[in-house]
Amino acid sequence: MSTPDVTVVVAVYNTMPYLTECLDSLVGQSIGRERLQVVAVDDGSTDDSGAELDRFAQLYPDVFTVVHQPNSGGPAAPSNRALELATGRFVYFIGSDDHLGEEALERMVACADANESDVVIGKMVGTNGRYVHQKLYTGNRDVTLDDSELPFTLANTKLFRRELVEKFGLRFPEDMPVGSDQPFTIEACVRARKISVISDYTCYYAVKRGDASNITYRANHLARLRCVQRIMEHTAALIPGGPRRDAVFKRHFDWELTKLLQKDFPALDADTRRQVCEGVGALVDAYFTDGLRDGTGVKRRVRFGLARSGAVEELTRAITEETEHGAPPFLLEGDRAFATYPGFRDPAVGLDDRYYEVRETVVGRLSAGTRLESADWEQHGTELFCVVKLRAGVTGDTSSAVVALAQGAMPQSADKAGARKLPADAARPQRCGTLTPDAAVDGGTLLTARIPLAATRSKRGVRLYVDVAGSTYEIPVRTDGQPMPLARRWGSDEPHRVAASTNSKGRLVITTAPLREPKSGVGARLRRTLSRSKRK
């Protein structure tokens, strides 16, 4: 028998009925069965998966090699067993509940041969609610671990040149219940001469099972922590410290470690919370460089810092309070802003201010923290003002804050669903009337603004403009069900009507329009009567 172009490895454990679609997608590949070897290892399945593998082996004996073995607890051992039997020039791994596009293998092998690539990554999408990171697939191109989104796509569902696999003895660690493909994939990518991406064809369909029984969804906090520790230690042995290693570890801090410190963390028992903090803290100490820290959002950064400090109770409180009440207010100090999470400037915690400093875009947080307390009219002579009392999601130095009517017509500005960061060259509204910080309260600062109204036809939203961390943000004012003042008339020479209302996005909007005097007299009444009779 001639050497096949590609060996497809399938580690199988209780994946019926998804397994049938997986195997059908393999025998239906456009590359042709004469260029294909499938090595499927049944890892002690207790459903009909083993029988289904045997059925395909009987139908396609020149394609399928099937091995049955006792359950090993994960995909690593059956994948290693399959590698021992692989004979193809390339090897490709597929989850037994997933399936391939018809031309997947043909396209990937052709790409590897044409480009002399050691690794080829075909576009993968999720089905049935499965999340798959997509930013890598921006075009057919060559990539490395440090110049692309490849670190966020470290599953082994790729085409590997088998010569590379055997030259460096690449195998899967069998004592890792989750993530065992990452050490294999990372080392292959570090060793590869070239890594190519196919983005113009969907090669792989990753399926989330209806019962969410994929092993990734079942591991507990401590098991996942131990696996991340192994992955990061393995990576550190391959890549020296510096930007290249940071590019890989950004994934592990932003993704795996962040998942350990989510809203389910407070529900863990005290000992597990302590162990998670110790493990995460050790990884922060070892690998969370200044560059990674400064490039990480303040929410994650604070949680990593509290874990590193062993501040279990403060971390628990930070997660609980944010889950229940949203993000804390920002403390403004000159051109710096800080998120006042638990532990901020607490000597017992001892966490540097830089962990709490706001560096990233903060649109959602500012918008959520700004809401109306009351609105009313105030007239002085011919001048009319809208007096707005609002709660802003900031504390400290509010000297830069401006409350104004949004510029531009509806809905381009006033009807925006949330806050926005103004471009650096955007015209900033001038301070209108007076703005008085009344008091610091839980959740922010109470502000009172007197906004002068012009006798023109307009419909504009009330906005707070505030400088945070060197940028200006336009923040809509939510009414949150507060009563609106009654519409009123003002002006004698050119009477106008002004009204305050809540728009469809729940934002405060001020409308002014010329007031038409009602027509009176016998002629007007007669015209109205005739008009009504014509409509009958």
Side-chain angles (χ1 to χ4, degrees):
M1 178 180 175
S2 61
T3 300
D5 279 327
V6 58
T7 297
V8 178
V9 170
V10 193
V12 180
Y13 177 71
N14 287 358
T15 52
M16 288 294 289
Y18 305 96
L19 177 61
T20 302
E21 185 174 13
C22 172
L23 301 180
D24 279 335
S25 78
L26 297 182
V27 297
Q29 285 294 297
S30 63
I31 198 171
R33 293 195 286 270
E34 70 281 358
R35 299 171 61 190
L36 174 66
Q37 177 193 28
V38 177
V39 181
V41 179
D42 172 26
D43 197 43
S45 295
T46 58
D47 65 357
D48 293 331
S49 295
E52 185 71 343
L53 292 177
D54 291 338
R55 184 174 76 86
F56 270 81
Q58 289 176 352
L59 290 172
Y60 308 101
D62 294 334
V63 175
F64 277 82
T65 299
V66 173
V67 176
H68 299 276
Q69 66 180 33
N71 181 254
S72 65
S79 296
N80 287 339
R81 179 72 181 103
L83 282 175
E84 296 172 4
L85 302 173
T87 60
R89 293 190 299 122
F90 298 93
V91 61
Y92 189 84
F93 299 89
I94 183 173
S96 59
D97 38 15
D98 303 329
H99 55 274
L100 298 184
E102 183 179 354
E103 301 174 19
L105 296 179
E106 183 178 18
R107 286 175 178 254
M108 286 187 284
V109 169
C111 175
D113 284 338
N115 296 335
E116 297 184 343
S117 308
D118 286 332
V119 179
V120 177
I121 307 161
K123 182 178 180 180
M124 174 191 289
V125 299
T127 65
N128 199 31
R130 178 84 173 265
Y131 173 77
V132 174
H133 199 77
Q134 291 296 302
K135 291 184 179 179
L136 180 66
Y137 309 115
T138 57
N140 294 351
R141 58 198 173 110
D142 297 330
V143 298
T144 69
L145 278 169
D146 55 319
D147 70 355
S148 69
E149 293 292 317
L150 178 54
F152 286 86
T153 313
L154 291 178
N156 66 338
T157 47
K158 300 168 174 58
L159 187 79
F160 299 93
R161 191 176 296 274
R162 197 165 67 86
E163 181 183 9
L164 174 81
V165 173
E166 297 307 327
K167 177 180 178 180
F168 294 101
L170 303 184
R171 292 296 186 269
F172 300 90
E174 298 184 11
D175 56 349
M176 289 176 60
V178 293
S180 61
D181 52 350
Q182 284 199 40
F184 181 100
T185 304
I186 291 170
E187 184 162 0
C189 290
V190 169
R191 308 287 192 190
R193 295 170 299 172
K194 186 180 289 186
I195 305 167
S196 298
V197 176
I198 294 175
S199 299
D200 60 355
Y201 181 81
T202 300
C203 295
Y204 194 103
Y205 295 86
V207 178
K208 182 177 180 180
R209 301 182 205 168
D211 59 0
S213 61
N214 309 61
I215 192 168
T216 303
Y217 299 94
R218 293 186 278 116
N220 63 34
H221 280 68
L222 294 180
R224 283 185 282 154
L225 173 61
R226 286 191 292 269
C227 292
V228 178
Q229 289 171 331
R230 289 280 303 279
I231 293 166
M232 296 181 79
E233 289 167 359
H234 182 77
T235 304
L238 291 168
I239 308 174
R244 289 191 67 221
R245 185 197 286 179
D246 283 359
V248 179
F249 282 168
K250 179 172 175 56
R251 175 238 167 86
H252 297 96
F253 282 107
D254 283 2
W255 194 255
E256 279 92 352
L257 293 178
T258 291
K259 286 182 179 179
L260 300 177
L261 304 177
Q262 300 282 45
K263 60 184 179 181
D264 55 354
F265 177 83
L268 302 174
D269 63 83
D271 187 56
T272 299
R273 281 186 287 132
R274 178 188 58 78
Q275 290 185 64
V276 169
C277 277
E278 288 178 354
V280 171
L283 295 174
V284 170
D285 261 337
Y287 306 122
F288 200 51
T289 62
D290 289 351
L292 282 171
R293 183 197 62 214
D294 293 344
T296 298
V298 67
K299 172 180 173 177
R300 292 187 179 113
R301 194 187 324 128
V302 168
R303 294 183 184 186
F304 294 149
L306 292 173
R308 176 177 176 270
S309 298
V312 182
E313 295 309 312
E314 287 79 4
L315 175 59
T316 303
R317 187 154 50 90
I319 296 172
T320 301
E321 291 177 358
E322 184 154 16
T323 300
E324 295 177 353
H325 307 296
F330 294 138
L331 171 66
L332 304 183
E333 291 183 348
D335 61 354
R336 300 178 74 191
F338 302 93
T340 54
Y341 286 100
F344 178 60
R345 292 179 179 170
D346 183 343
V349 173
L351 202 54
D352 190 282
D353 276 3
R354 288 178 296 178
Y355 276 88
Y356 292 86
E357 188 167 1
V358 178
R359 297 175 181 271
E360 74 279 15
T361 299
V362 292
V363 165
R365 295 163 180 267
L366 290 171
S367 181
T370 301
R371 62 184 185 272
L372 181 71
E373 294 289 317
S374 67
D376 208 347
W377 313 118
E378 184 179 290
Q379 187 163 353
H380 298 282
T382 60
E383 291 187 303
L384 184 67
F385 298 84
C386 180
V387 180
V388 176
K389 294 181 181 291
L390 59 89
R391 183 186 299 253
V394 295
T395 61
D397 181 8
T398 57
S399 60
S400 70
V402 172
V403 177
L405 294 177
Q407 303 302 308
M410 297 283 284
Q412 286 83 357
S413 180
D415 203 31
K416 292 285 186 183
R420 69 184 181 105
K421 181 179 179 180
L422 296 182
D425 57 352
R428 196 174 187 278
Q430 297 297 311
R431 185 182 299 278
C432 55
T434 59
L435 177 67
T436 307
D438 293 340
V441 294
D442 289 342
T445 302
L446 293 178
L447 301 172
T448 298
R450 297 173 69 252
I451 305 172
L453 302 174
T456 59
R457 182 183 297 277
S458 68
K459 186 177 183 181
R460 293 182 174 180
V462 177
R463 295 296 217 242
L464 170 68
Y465 296 83
V466 63
D467 292 336
V468 176
S471 298
T472 300
Y473 293 86
E474 180 189 59
I475 310 162
V477 176
R478 306 193 329 261
T479 60
D480 280 5
Q482 291 291 341
M484 297 291 104
L486 295 175
R488 66 178 295 170
R489 164 185 165 163
W490 98 98
S492 54
D493 296 337
E494 296 182 64
H496 277 66
R497 180 180 183 274
V498 62
S501 62
T502 302
N503 71 7
S504 61
K505 299 295 192 301
R507 319 302 183 184
L508 177 60
V509 173
I510 306 296
T511 305
T512 58
L515 185 65
R516 294 181 179 178
E517 295 290 344
K519 294 182 179 180
S520 59
V522 175
R525 289 197 298 272
L526 180 59
R527 285 192 294 272
R528 288 197 293 272
T529 301
L530 291 173
S531 176
R532 284 195 295 270
S533 66
K534 289 179 180 179
R535 292 195 296 267
K536 291 181 180 179

